[in-house]
Amino acid sequence: MTKSEQLPYPVVEQRGLWFEEFQTSTVYRHAPGRTISEADNILFTTTTMNPQALHLDAAWSSDQEFGERLVNSLLTLSVLVGLSVGQLTQGTVVANLGFGEVRFPAPVRHGDTLYAETVVLDKRPSQRRPRQGIVTFEHTARNQHGDIVAVARRATMVAFAPESRG
């Protein structure tokens, strides 16, 4: 269907938030969660050319501190950010500007389910791009037990709402 075609009823399209809609010091909880499988971990680890035995070698990992393979921390980070997209930035983000502090206070294991929430730390209009603003997030992932497994600060460039464009 093209944009010019009219429907006899309203249309709701999922999108992220426009710059003006973000509220600082507000927690955005993202649903649903995502269970990480062994296949997810192996595919991500091998696709990214990461030969770390801690992610791939069950026998070797069984003799290490955690007694089993762990989920690749960059997969954990990717899922954490991905869980926020539908609610916060789908179709409204212009660019991911970068990550600040990223930490992994507890390991993620095969079969763990990740849940995410985001706090908007700051937002400001861009000095160089008049119809865009910079929004700084702190994303937090918890496992099914409520343990924090990842925290990441991220800066993004977000578009202003269409009605405010001149």
Side-chain angles (χ1 to χ4, degrees):
M1 175 174 296
T2 66
K3 289 186 177 186
S4 63
E5 293 181 77
Q6 294 295 321
L7 295 176
Y9 40 84
V11 175
V12 176
E13 184 174 335
Q14 182 173 340
R15 64 162 172 84
L17 301 176
W18 301 111
F19 177 80
E20 299 89 339
E21 296 174 306
F22 282 105
Q23 298 177 26
T24 57
S25 302
T26 298
V27 175
Y28 295 86
R29 289 205 171 122
H30 314 301
R34 173 67 159 80
T35 302
I36 308 298
S37 70
E38 177 181 10
D40 294 327
N41 189 44
I42 291 172
L43 178 62
F44 183 90
T45 299
T46 56
T47 298
T48 58
M49 302 294 290
N50 180 344
Q52 177 53 256
L54 187 58
H55 307 311
L56 298 172
D57 187 331
W60 181 85
S61 295
S62 69
D63 290 332
Q64 303 309 307
E65 179 177 346
F66 296 103
E68 63 185 324
R69 289 172 294 162
L70 299 179
V71 170
N72 186 317
S73 59
L74 292 179
L75 173 56
T76 300
L77 177 62
S78 295
V79 170
L80 169 57
V81 172
L83 287 169
S84 75
V85 168
Q87 184 177 16
L88 298 182
T89 61
Q90 179 65 42
T92 59
V93 72
V94 175
N96 190 37
L97 300 177
F99 288 88
E101 179 184 350
V102 176
R103 55 192 174 87
F104 303 99
V108 176
R109 294 171 166 83
H110 299 150
D112 280 353
T113 300
L114 301 184
Y115 298 94
E117 61 189 39
T118 299
V119 175
V120 176
L121 298 176
D122 185 53
K123 74 176 206 176
R124 65 175 176 81
S126 173
Q127 294 176 348
R128 291 187 236 160
R129 295 175 173 240
R131 295 183 186 101
Q132 299 168 358
I134 297 171
V135 180
T136 303
F137 301 116
E138 183 172 83
H139 301 291
T140 301
R142 298 175 192 274
N143 65 16
Q144 68 275 14
H145 306 295
D147 302 324
I148 294 175
V149 297
V151 178
R153 289 191 178 199
R154 177 170 76 115
T156 59
M157 183 75 68
V158 177
F160 282 18
E163 49 272 7
S164 68
R165 293 181 181 178

